Amino acid sequence: MFWVPNFVDVDEFKSIDKDPSLIVAPGAVTKEKGIDTIIRIAKLKNNINIYIAGDEPSKKLPDNVRYVGKLNREEYKKLVTKSSICILPTHGETFSMTMLECLAAGNLVLARDLPVLREVAGSTPSVDFANNDREFISKLENFINILKKPHEFSELSTRSIERAKMFNKWTILEKFKNELLLIMDGKY
């Protein structure tokens, strides 16, 4: 038995000029996906804007949470690629494609501390985890401070992309092909 993880096309998320003020929370529009956490962060950190995309949010949003709508694939890739920080406050997740896409785009990623998200992130220093709103705010502030240090941000951005490459579609498909060949040869 072998496992084929989700994979990402890293080339789809080639980094463009990053906007250090662009913080996104892709899909964080429901309670399950962490909209309450985003709202509490925004109320306490009213000097930042957080952009969310996806279905219509289930709650009224503070002025500094910008709902950009349900984006098509190209619009979504542009948003994630231009951003510098992705927040993933989800309360439950399988194998997170959103995290892989944020990593492939070279973003710093702040996620809820879930075992599956830790598995996707590995020990990548460009990813941090939070268990509660206070930790989300504190760690977001740390990331915002990193954005003020271009060399450090560039280094961490590169580490994000390196991690995503471990789940690049061609890498995963090659491993899958090799496993199938072993089965065909009766060596599995």
Side-chain angles (χ1 to χ4, degrees), residues 3-177:
W3 170 66
V4 180
N6 285 342
F7 47 85
V8 64
D9 185 347
V10 175
D11 292 334
E12 276 190 314
F13 293 89
K14 287 272 189 221
S15 189
I16 56 176
D17 291 333
K18 293 284 193 188
D19 179 345
S21 67
L22 186 54
I23 301 170
V24 298
V29 294
T30 63
K31 183 175 181 168
E32 296 79 20
K33 291 295 183 178
I35 189 67
D36 292 334
T37 297
I38 295 298
I39 290 170
R40 286 190 291 271
I41 291 170
K43 285 181 177 177
L44 291 170
K45 295 292 296 172
N46 58 6
N47 60 330
I48 63 167
N49 292 311
I50 301 171
Y51 293 81
I52 60 173
D55 293 330
E56 188 74 32
S58 58
K59 306 262 181 167
K60 182 174 177 356
L61 303 175
D63 291 340
N64 60 333
V65 175
R66 310 287 168 83
Y67 173 63
V68 295
K70 190 166 185 159
L71 305 177
N72 66 36
R73 184 73 179 156
E74 290 305 312
E75 293 167 330
Y76 170 78
K77 287 189 300 190
K78 186 176 179 182
L79 178 70
V80 171
T81 303
K82 189 125 179 96
S83 66
S84 298
I85 298 174
C86 286
I87 304 174
L88 306 175
T90 183
H91 292 280
E93 194 65 62
T94 55
F95 193 97
S96 179
M97 284 302 300
T98 304
M99 179 178 272
L100 283 179
E101 292 164 344
C102 289
L103 290 170
N107 287 310
L108 302 177
V109 179
L110 176 56
R112 178 135 353 246
D113 195 356
L114 300 174
V116 70
L117 295 179
R118 282 195 174 273
E119 182 181 338
V120 175
S123 59
T124 307
S126 56
V127 179
D128 206 349
F129 297 94
N131 288 301
N132 56 53
D133 295 346
R134 189 170 16 108
E135 286 183 11
F136 268 102
I137 291 166
S138 171
K139 292 177 179 201
L140 179 58
E141 287 171 348
N142 290 343
F143 276 173
I144 290 168
N145 286 329
I146 288 170
L147 296 178
K148 297 173 186 171
K149 304 171 193 166
H151 179 73
E152 187 175 352
F153 173 68
S154 177
E155 191 174 301
L156 289 171
S157 179
T158 298
R159 298 290 296 272
S160 286
I161 294 166
E162 287 171 359
R163 180 62 183 175
K165 285 181 178 177
M166 294 180 71
F167 298 95
N168 190 28
K169 74 176 181 178
W170 300 115
T171 303
I172 300 300
L173 291 175
E174 182 66 23
K175 287 179 183 177
F176 182 58
K177 178 189 89 171

